[in-house]
């Protein structure tokens, strides 16, 4: 009699089931063994059926709620699920879980995904008569051959310099003394190509003027803006005798942004250099630097 009671109790006891498997269950066949569980009862509480098709990429969720109550010896209600079928491939299941955790809290319209502009710091040279703004994380380098020189501490090819003509040998009245912006752009390109002339064999530099424009700033002065692209090509074996052994490839590809202004009978030039791929990402910040350039009257 005791043996029959024991067997009857074991038959009525529900097997343990975890509706949300842990991440460790996504290895091997343990996932399919635990998740593919079915049990039939006479009066189900709810029926949840979830299927995922990897081929059609569809997800069907059906929820049927049914109320039932069954009194036992202790007076507690017993609920069970008629069908809980979660036969989802491991990759799809991981994608569903991760996407639900991430995108339920973060949206692409969130400010965290917005591209933030860099902070600018102003540099004022009251002795030579000019000012501009530059990214605050750039560092000043002395002895670079320019009146002032700043550069990015991580991208060494991205830098800024200001040049000005000699006050004793120049007598500029306006930036229009250079001619129209198109003519000034050709002069700027010619100057860059002269500076980049190389004595190495097999080196070739190609440049073109991308755009020229003029603007009147808030100080009432006229400024020219010139954008130039220069590419450098070099041979990997410049001493080779046969032309087929001298393969020419591009060394670098840079954008040069120049702002020209005249004051104190001098020509001022703000020159920005940056690789083309970096310019695409930082164009708005670099144009802010260009528009901040001002030339000022120096007290006699």
């Amino acid at each position: 009699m005791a043996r029959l009671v024991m067997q009857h109790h074991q038959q009525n006891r529900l097997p343990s089931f975890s509706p949300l498997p842990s991440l460790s269950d996504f290895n091997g066949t343990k996932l399919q063994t635990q998740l593919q569980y079915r049990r039939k009862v006479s009066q189900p509480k709810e029926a949840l059926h979830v299927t995922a098709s990897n081929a059609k990429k569809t997800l069907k969720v059906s929820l049927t709620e049914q109320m039932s109550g069954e009194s036992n010896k202790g007076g507690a209600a017993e609920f069970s699920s008629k069908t809980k079928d979660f036969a989802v491939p491991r990759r799809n299941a991981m994608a569903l879980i991760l996407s639900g955790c991430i995108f339920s809290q973060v949206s692409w319209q969130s400010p965290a995904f917005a591209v933030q502009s860099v902070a600018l710091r102003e540099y004022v040279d009251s002795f030579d008569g000019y000012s501009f703004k530059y990214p605050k994380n750039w560092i000043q380098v002395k002895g670079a051959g320019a009146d002032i020189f700043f550069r990015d501490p991580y991208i060494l090819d991205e830098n800024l310099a200001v040049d000005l003509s000699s006050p004793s040998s120049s007598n500029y009245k306006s930036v229009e003394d250079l001619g129209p912006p198109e003519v000034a752009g050709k002069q700027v390109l010619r100057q860059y190509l002269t500076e980049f002339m190389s004595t190495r064999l097999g080196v070739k530099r190609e440049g073109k003027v991308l755009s020229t424009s003029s603007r009147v700033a808030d100080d009432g002065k006229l400024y020219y803006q010139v954008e130039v692209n220069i590419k450098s090509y070099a041979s990997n074996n410049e001493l080779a005798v046969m032309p087929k052994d001298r393969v020419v490839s591009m060394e670098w590809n840079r954008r040069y942004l120049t702002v020209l202004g005249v004051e104190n009978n001098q020509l001022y030039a703000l020159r920005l250099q940056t690789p083309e791929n970096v310019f695409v990402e930082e164009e708005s910040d670099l144009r802010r630097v260009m528009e901040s350039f001002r030339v000022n009257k120096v007290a006699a």
Side-chain angles (χ1 to χ4, degrees):
M1 183 68 179
R3 183 176 181 181
L4 293 178
V5 173
M6 179 68 67
Q7 291 180 353
H8 179 72
H9 177 71
Q10 291 179 354
Q11 291 178 357
N12 291 337
R13 185 176 57 186
L14 292 176
S16 60
F17 175 75
S18 177
L20 294 178
S22 62
L23 294 179
S24 62
D25 294 336
F26 285 94
N27 298 324
T29 59
K30 188 177 181 180
L31 174 67
Q32 297 180 0
T33 304
Q34 291 186 355
L35 296 184
Q36 294 183 3
Y37 167 75
R38 294 187 178 181
R39 180 174 179 83
K40 295 183 179 179
V41 294
S42 58
Q43 294 179 338
K45 161 69 177 178
E46 62 180 6
L48 175 64
H49 184 66
V50 180
T51 60
S53 174
N54 191 26
K56 297 183 179 180
K57 297 183 183 298
T58 59
L59 179 65
K60 297 174 58 180
V61 179
S62 62
L63 177 63
T64 305
E65 296 184 354
Q66 299 179 5
M67 301 299 298
S68 63
E70 181 179 356
S71 301
N72 55 14
K73 294 182 180 181
E78 179 178 292
F79 302 97
S80 62
S81 297
K82 180 178 181 181
T83 304
K84 294 187 178 181
D85 188 0
F86 203 85
V88 181
R90 286 186 296 173
R91 293 185 178 179
N92 291 359
M94 289 295 294
L96 290 173
I97 294 175
L98 294 178
S99 62
C101 295
I102 296 175
F103 292 102
S104 62
Q105 300 179 3
V106 181
S107 173
W108 287 110
Q109 281 73 28
S110 173
F113 289 96
V115 178
Q116 301 293 332
S117 298
V118 299
L120 300 181
R121 179 178 298 170
E122 187 175 24
Y123 177 85
V124 179
D125 189 331
S126 56
F127 179 80
D128 291 315
Y130 64 88
S131 64
F132 60 89
K133 295 180 180 180
Y134 66 96
K136 64 180 302 183
N137 65 320
W138 286 20
I139 60 176
Q140 181 178 354
V141 179
K142 297 185 178 181
D147 192 71
I148 190 68
F149 187 88
F150 288 91
R151 76 178 183 188
D152 189 298
Y154 305 104
I155 307 175
L156 302 183
D157 289 340
E158 188 174 30
N159 50 59
L160 175 155
V162 174
D163 292 329
L164 55 152
S165 62
S166 173
S168 59
S169 60
S170 60
N171 189 23
Y172 290 95
K173 300 301 181 183
S174 171
V175 72
E176 293 178 312
D177 294 344
L178 300 173
E182 296 78 12
V183 176
K186 295 179 181 179
Q187 297 177 9
V188 170
L189 176 60
R190 190 180 307 112
Q191 179 181 355
Y192 277 122
L193 292 177
T194 301
E195 294 176 358
F196 293 143
M197 289 182 62
S198 177
T199 57
R200 293 161 49 202
L201 297 176
V203 174
K204 181 178 63 173
R205 305 280 162 75
E206 293 181 355
K208 62 179 179 179
V209 178
L210 300 178
S211 66
T212 58
S213 62
S214 62
R215 63 179 176 87
V216 177
D218 53 6
D219 58 356
K221 296 183 177 66
L222 180 65
Y223 296 87
Y224 283 176
Q225 296 186 162
V226 179
E227 296 188 26
V228 170
N229 171 262
I230 298 179
K231 298 181 177 67
S232 177
Y233 299 89
S235 173
N236 61 344
N237 188 8
E238 62 273 11
L239 299 179
V241 177
M242 303 300 295
K244 64 179 181 179
D245 296 330
R246 297 192 296 268
V247 179
V248 178
S249 60
M250 187 170 62
E251 286 185 310
W252 46 262
N253 181 17
R254 299 173 186 164
R255 177 76 62 100
Y256 293 89
L257 311 172
T258 305
V259 183
L260 303 173
V262 170
E263 187 58 272
N264 305 310
N265 298 328
Q266 294 176 268
L267 177 65
Y268 295 78
L270 172 73
R271 309 203 301 175
L272 277 165
Q273 170 186 286
T274 180
E276 278 289 349
N277 59 339
V278 178
F279 175 77
V280 174
E281 301 177 358
E282 302 180 359
E283 179 179 0
S284 60
D285 295 327
L286 295 177
R287 295 199 183 280
R288 290 168 56 203
V289 174
M290 294 177 64
E291 295 172 357
S292 69
F293 184 60
R294 300 289 185 273
V295 293
N296 310 311
K297 191 71 177 179
V298 177

